[in-house]
Amino acid sequence: MFPMLTLLSMFYYICLRRRSRSGTRSETLGSRRAVELGQRSALPVTVEVEQYGKEVLDFSSHYGSENSMSYTMWNLAGVPNVYPSSGDFTQTAVFRTYGGWWTQCVSSALPFRRTPPNFHGQDFLELAFEEPVYPTAVEVLETYHPGAIVKILACSLNPFSQNPPADVRWEVLWAGKPNKAVTPQARQFSPSIRQISFATNLLRLEVNCSLLEYYTELDAVILRGVRERPILALYKIPVIDINDLSDSEEEISDAGGLCCRSGGENRQNLGNGFFDRLPYELIQLIVSHLPVPDLCRLAQSCKLFHKHCCDPLQYIQLSLQPYWARLTDASLCHLQSRCTLLQRLNMSWTGNRGAVTASGFCSFMKACGVSLVCLELSCCHFLTEACLEVIAQTCPCLQELNLASCDRLQPQAFNHITKLANLRRLVLYRTKVEQSALLSILTFCPELRHLNLGSCVMIEDYDVVASMLSARCRSLRSLDLWRCRNLSERGLAELVSGCRLLEELDLGWCSTIQSSTGCFKHLARSLPRLRKLFLTANRTVCDSDLEELAANCSALEHLDILGTRMVSPASLRKLLQCCPRLKLLDVSFCSQVDSRFAQELSGLFPNVSIKKSFTQ
């Protein structure tokens, strides 16, 4: 298979290379002379502007609450609050996840095929500055576990302008692979950035925290730049070398002889390089390794490849998230005829600022949604009530729907989800879903296995929601109630009594639940399959709760009891001895567990990642 892939790549390269040569040798020489003359001339004196972020415009997730400033992305605006100090501070911007723990959970969605190897983004944030400049440097002040940033982009749109441009462009200033710093200490991250042809006051940071040992924390972003366009940026240097402008037969032959070969002194044209002699299925397998843009380009090279690249079998899974900056209504229209068998679609992050319209999305769904099983739409701000109505009408087989951080979707839109009776996984994190709509969804979608209601601030009474889950969704495997404001012991008791198949339960920052009522002991006895339990920042968790978990939840893998004052070292040791599958244990800010004992436990249980945060 690999030799065939090599041949295809070479043939594809030659086709594109020959078609892309629009410049002549004289134009190339002229451009080079212009640059040389520009270098000899005196450059104008420019003053570099330094500015901190003015406003956070958008982001995919954050650790904090929607109703406070602690650990939220909004902390990234303005001057530093913490830097150069290191450690865990509430005044910083923190994303929701870190490491590989969340992708190991049963609630995690399956990855999409054909994701480009250079796309690493898991989260993002967009930050506006006061004045548009031509960037000369970007500096990110990271105060805890640095190394998450994988891409920095600049936008041609001025978010404060009353006259936005017709064509919004995003350019990459810097890109790298997932990384982690040697130490968790604070640092100033200032990568070497490339020049762009427009002034900008809107930056986007994409992050990947999969290699980090704990939550990364960002304090501020500095944009440095000049008001006038640098003179060297006025000249575009050709990407093709001046010595490489030949279209000779020797060049093609040296490139691998894919399109022609030597037979004595004669050359015989092989057309498509014998590809038409391969079995149809083998060619399909070869082109299935190409990312979507390359697949579309290859379709233009010859009739044979057009047939294979437009086969709907190539588009059973389609992830457009890596191409969020380029996706438009026209792109969706172009893909419609190819996606008639589409089953899994990822459009997360796409279409914002008018690139995709509600009507364009609805048209695509009507043409391609009949077989959809999975639909990822996190951070898609073009969505309207009409869009959800079309999804409900045209996607009868839909089992997974992700609307995370679609916080501009109006509350009444969620009522249409009730028509998706086959739903198994529903993510409503950071949405405006209201209690009445949610109760209707739970009534008409009894097959739910995974439900995420984290940071859903419009729900008035989570006890009522818990009671409905207990009555209607008894097959529930995972439930995320991160930062739900008013779940009581009564609601928790009903939940665990009815949903006994739960394997994951996130009650992080649910401060209204009190251990003294025995609710956590009842939870441990009722959920023997439990693999993940987050009781983050519940100050009342005590030794007897951990003893019940040790006795009844031997399958436990992830436990977060950050912030409790009532757990002793002895109960932690017993828990680790009784739960051999435990991989993650967060005891940060547990007042009875000091760093020395945490290190001792790490030595005794090397397979468990024990977290002990600090401030400095």
Side-chain angles (χ1 to χ4, degrees):
M1 181 177 71
F2 295 107
M4 191 59 65
L5 282 173
T6 303
L7 290 174
L8 175 60
S9 302
M10 296 169 66
F11 176 64
Y12 177 41
Y13 165 77
I14 292 170
C15 291
L16 292 183
R17 185 178 177 187
R18 291 172 67 91
R19 298 182 69 179
S20 68
R21 291 174 177 166
S22 57
T24 64
R25 187 186 300 268
S26 61
E27 290 171 342
T28 304
L29 287 170
S31 296
R32 179 162 291 188
R33 291 192 188 102
V35 174
E36 291 172 351
L37 288 173
Q39 289 173 334
R40 296 191 193 105
S41 62
L43 296 179
V45 176
T46 57
V47 178
E48 188 176 64
V49 177
E50 175 187 294
Q51 49 187 331
Y52 290 93
K54 178 181 179 181
E55 182 181 352
V56 176
L57 300 182
D58 196 12
F59 56 90
S60 54
S61 77
H62 60 181
Y63 186 90
S65 166
E66 303 301 296
N67 301 316
S68 75
M69 290 295 291
S70 297
Y71 296 121
T72 63
M73 286 297 123
W74 301 303
N75 285 321
L76 209 56
V79 299
N81 298 309
V82 173
Y83 188 86
S85 297
S86 301
D88 191 338
F89 291 91
T90 62
Q91 304 97 318
T92 57
V94 185
F95 291 97
R96 178 69 183 86
T97 65
Y98 70 92
W101 314 113
W102 277 258
T103 57
Q104 297 171 5
C105 296
V106 295
S107 57
S108 177
L110 294 174
F112 278 76
R113 291 192 293 110
R114 275 206 173 104
T115 300
N118 62 346
F119 178 74
H120 306 293
Q122 293 179 335
D123 276 296
F124 76 89
L125 66 92
E126 293 181 2
L127 184 63
F129 297 79
E130 181 68 36
E131 180 181 356
V133 294
Y134 293 91
T136 56
V138 176
E139 299 170 5
V140 185
L141 306 184
E142 303 173 274
T143 54
Y144 199 38
H145 287 277
I149 299 170
V150 293
K151 189 175 288 187
I152 304 174
L153 303 100
C155 186
S156 61
L157 171 72
N158 182 346
F160 305 121
S161 172
Q162 300 299 318
N163 300 306
D167 180 29
V168 177
R169 294 167 53 200
W170 285 93
E171 293 286 345
V172 177
L173 297 178
W174 173 87
K177 295 181 179 180
N179 192 13
K180 71 173 181 178
V182 177
T183 71
Q185 304 298 320
R187 74 171 185 181
Q188 181 174 295
F189 179 61
S190 182
S192 177
I193 64 173
R194 58 184 290 265
Q195 285 190 354
I196 55 175
S197 59
F198 55 82
T200 184
N201 63 337
L202 177 56
L203 297 183
R204 177 181 174 114
L205 307 184
E206 293 186 5
V207 303
N208 183 312
C209 302
S210 62
L211 299 182
L212 301 188
E213 296 295 328
Y214 205 58
Y215 296 99
T216 189
E217 300 191 7
L218 311 179
D219 193 16
V221 178
I222 304 170
L223 172 61
R224 300 183 189 273
V226 294
R227 295 183 177 92
E228 300 297 328
R229 187 175 182 182
I231 191 166
L232 292 180
L234 297 175
Y235 303 102
K236 184 178 180 181
I237 301 175
V239 295
I240 300 177
D241 189 85
I242 193 170
N243 298 315
D244 194 16
L245 298 174
S246 165
D247 283 327
S248 65
E249 293 291 329
E250 289 79 14
E251 176 196 41
I252 300 174
S253 177
D254 291 342
L258 190 60
C259 297
C260 57
R261 69 176 180 180
S262 177
E265 295 183 355
N266 299 322
R267 298 185 183 275
Q268 178 184 0
N269 188 0
L270 300 182
N272 57 42
F274 291 121
F275 265 91
D276 55 352
R277 300 187 184 184
L278 294 176
Y280 190 91
E281 294 80 3
L282 181 55
I283 303 178
Q284 284 289 93
L285 177 62
I286 293 172
V287 299
S288 71
H289 291 270
L290 293 175
V292 175
D294 289 350
L295 198 65
C296 295
R297 295 185 189 110
L298 184 60
Q300 304 174 45
S301 61
C302 69
K303 290 183 179 180
L304 175 67
F305 287 142
H306 183 274
K307 178 180 179 181
H308 284 280
C309 294
C310 294
D311 191 320
L313 289 173
Q314 293 290 338
Y315 300 87
I316 291 178
Q317 289 191 39
L318 181 61
S319 179
L320 299 175
Q321 181 181 7
Y323 318 109
W324 61 267
R326 291 180 282 166
L327 192 74
T328 63
D329 281 350
S331 309
L332 293 179
C333 183
H334 178 75
L335 289 168
Q336 273 189 25
S337 62
R338 310 180 184 200
C339 296
T340 54
L341 301 179
L342 186 62
Q343 295 180 9
R344 302 186 72 226
L345 173 64
N346 182 5
M347 286 185 60
S348 296
W349 303 3
T350 64
N352 298 333
R353 297 185 173 85
V356 173
T357 64
S359 59
F361 173 79
C362 290
S363 176
F364 182 78
M365 294 305 299
K366 289 175 182 177
C368 309
V370 65
S371 301
L372 265 184
V373 175
C374 173
L375 182 57
E376 302 280 335
L377 296 172
S378 67
C379 304
C380 289
H381 300 311
F382 63 83
L383 290 175
T384 63
E385 181 179 358
C387 295
L388 262 64
E389 184 177 8
V390 168
I391 291 171
Q393 291 172 350
T394 60
C395 305
C397 304
L398 197 65
Q399 296 181 11
E400 300 182 42
L401 178 61
N402 183 357
L403 298 173
S405 291
C406 292
D407 53 344
R408 301 173 199 178
L409 200 55
Q410 293 304 306
Q412 63 271 17
F414 297 94
N415 288 304
H416 296 287
I417 299 177
T418 59
K419 301 170 187 174
L420 300 170
N422 295 312
L423 272 184
R424 302 290 192 276
R425 174 174 165 264
L426 178 61
V427 181
L428 298 176
Y429 168 74
R430 289 191 65 238
T431 62
K432 295 178 180 176
V433 62
E434 292 182 339
Q435 184 167 310
S436 57
L438 180 59
L439 294 177
S440 296
I441 292 171
L442 300 181
T443 300
F444 292 101
C445 302
E447 300 301 318
L448 275 174
R449 302 289 191 275
H450 309 287
L451 179 62
N452 188 331
L453 299 175
S455 295
C456 290
V457 298
M458 304 288 284
I459 298 173
E460 301 92 356
D461 191 345
Y462 273 94
D463 281 354
V464 176
V465 173
S467 179
M468 182 64 76
L469 283 167
S470 175
R472 297 291 300 171
C473 302
R474 291 180 172 267
S475 298
L476 203 64
R477 297 291 195 280
S478 71
L479 177 62
D480 191 330
L481 298 177
W482 177 261
R483 291 189 181 272
C484 72
R485 295 178 299 169
N486 46 31
L487 180 68
S488 72
E489 299 82 6
R490 179 178 60 84
L492 181 58
E494 279 198 72
L495 174 70
V496 300
S497 296
C499 301
R500 290 182 173 271
L501 299 180
L502 273 173
E503 298 179 35
E504 298 177 21
L505 182 57
D506 193 331
L507 300 173
W509 296 88
C510 297
S511 57
T512 53
I513 307 174
Q514 298 295 314
S515 171
S516 58
T517 62
C519 59
F520 295 136
K521 300 182 188 66
H522 179 54
L523 180 155
R525 298 186 194 112
S526 302
L527 304 178
R529 297 170 178 249
L530 200 61
R531 296 169 56 186
K532 172 184 173 180
L533 178 62
F534 274 34
L535 300 175
T536 316
N538 190 301
R539 316 298 182 190
T540 67
V541 176
C542 61
D543 284 346
S544 58
D545 298 325
L546 264 61
E547 290 170 3
E548 288 292 341
L549 287 172
N552 298 283
C553 302
S554 59
L556 197 63
E557 297 178 6
H558 304 156
L559 178 63
D560 186 342
I561 55 171
L562 175 149
T564 182
R565 304 184 183 94
M566 305 174 67
V567 166
S568 69
S571 62
L572 281 177
R573 191 189 298 270
K574 182 177 180 181
L575 177 79
L576 288 163
Q577 291 170 342
C578 296
C579 298
R581 300 182 188 176
L582 201 63
K583 300 176 183 176
L584 173 66
L585 176 62
D586 195 337
V587 293
S588 301
F589 303 108
C590 292
S591 55
Q592 295 190 44
V593 182
D594 58 23
S595 298
R596 181 194 57 78
F597 182 72
Q599 291 177 356
E600 180 183 332
L601 287 180
S602 296
L604 294 173
F605 302 94
N607 295 326
V608 184
S609 184
I610 300 175
K611 307 301 180 184
K612 182 65 177 175
S613 187
F614 72 89
T615 56
Q616 179 177 307

